Amino acid sequence: MDDDSPNDVSLHIEFRCEDDSWQAVPDVETLIGQALRLAWSGGTGGAGDTGGAPRAEVSVLLAGDTTLQALNREWRGKDRPTNVLSFPGPDMPVPAEDGTLVCHLGDLAMSYQTLAREADNEDKPLAHHLQHLAVHGMLHLQGHDHETEEEAEEMEALERTLLARLGIPDPYAA
């Protein structure tokens, strides 16, 4: 499935759904698309940081715990499911089929079961938690991280700002 917004052709999003549980989320692609585009435009000081490429793209895998656990084990050495994984793309733009240059920002993989469990445990609307994880994942694709306390504070502040623009309360509030 593809999703291009007529208002923002600078970011192309390709969706692949491997778990029927995602059908429980109305407008899942729209919700993720809104969050990704907002993070793309506001995550690094503005869209367009594509190394000269006229557009950017990201792929989103909507999967379940089994798939995310396997990916987490293979790529991070952690044998447990997780909510979202980010796989940054190459730094260099690549030619698309039409000859234009495209910057593939990377791939995101999301688990419905972990997302739903966390939203329920934290008493958050599922849509809010979904958009938070999409923003979080997109920020990772843009080079943000939270390995140190300073990095975590910076990334969380950016997440709070972006999510507020979506009308989502601070996900880190006690």
Side-chain angles (χ1 to χ4, degrees):
M1 291 176 262
D2 293 335
D3 175 42
D4 276 320
S5 167
N7 297 325
D8 183 2
V9 294
S10 67
L11 181 65
H12 172 77
I13 305 166
E14 185 172 319
F15 289 92
R16 191 172 85 208
C17 186
E18 290 187 353
D19 191 306
D20 290 339
S21 300
W22 284 99
Q23 293 177 11
V25 184
D27 300 318
V28 65
E29 291 179 13
T30 300
L31 290 168
I32 292 171
Q34 288 172 336
L36 294 180
R37 285 189 174 87
L38 179 61
W40 172 237
S41 67
T44 59
D49 184 17
T50 59
R55 69 173 204 241
E57 66 180 20
V58 64
S59 298
V60 179
L61 172 64
L62 301 174
D65 275 353
T66 302
T67 298
L68 269 282
Q69 182 169 348
L71 290 170
N72 204 17
R73 179 178 51 245
E74 181 177 349
W75 294 101
R76 298 179 67 223
K78 297 182 180 188
D79 192 14
R80 64 179 180 266
T82 190
N83 49 27
V84 63
L85 289 170
S86 302
F87 300 96
D91 292 334
M92 302 271 309
V94 295
E97 289 180 16
D98 64 4
T100 62
L101 290 177
V102 176
C103 181
H104 182 72
L105 299 174
D107 305 318
L108 298 176
M110 302 177 87
S111 170
Y112 174 80
Q113 290 81 16
T114 297
L115 172 107
R117 188 171 47 253
E118 289 173 348
D120 187 54
N121 289 344
E122 297 170 19
D123 199 27
K124 296 177 180 178
L126 185 66
H128 286 185
H129 194 46
L130 171 66
Q131 288 190 302
H132 174 210
L133 294 179
V135 164
H136 184 87
M138 180 59 117
L139 292 178
H140 276 305
L141 294 182
Q142 295 176 80
H144 294 273
D145 213 337
H146 46 79
E147 292 297 314
T148 67
E149 189 171 326
E150 184 178 311
E151 289 174 337
E153 288 175 12
E154 182 180 318
M155 188 168 173
E156 289 172 10
L158 185 51
E159 288 175 23
R160 285 182 185 101
T161 299
L162 294 169
L163 293 171
R165 291 179 54 195
L166 290 170
I168 297 173
D170 180 354
Y172 298 107

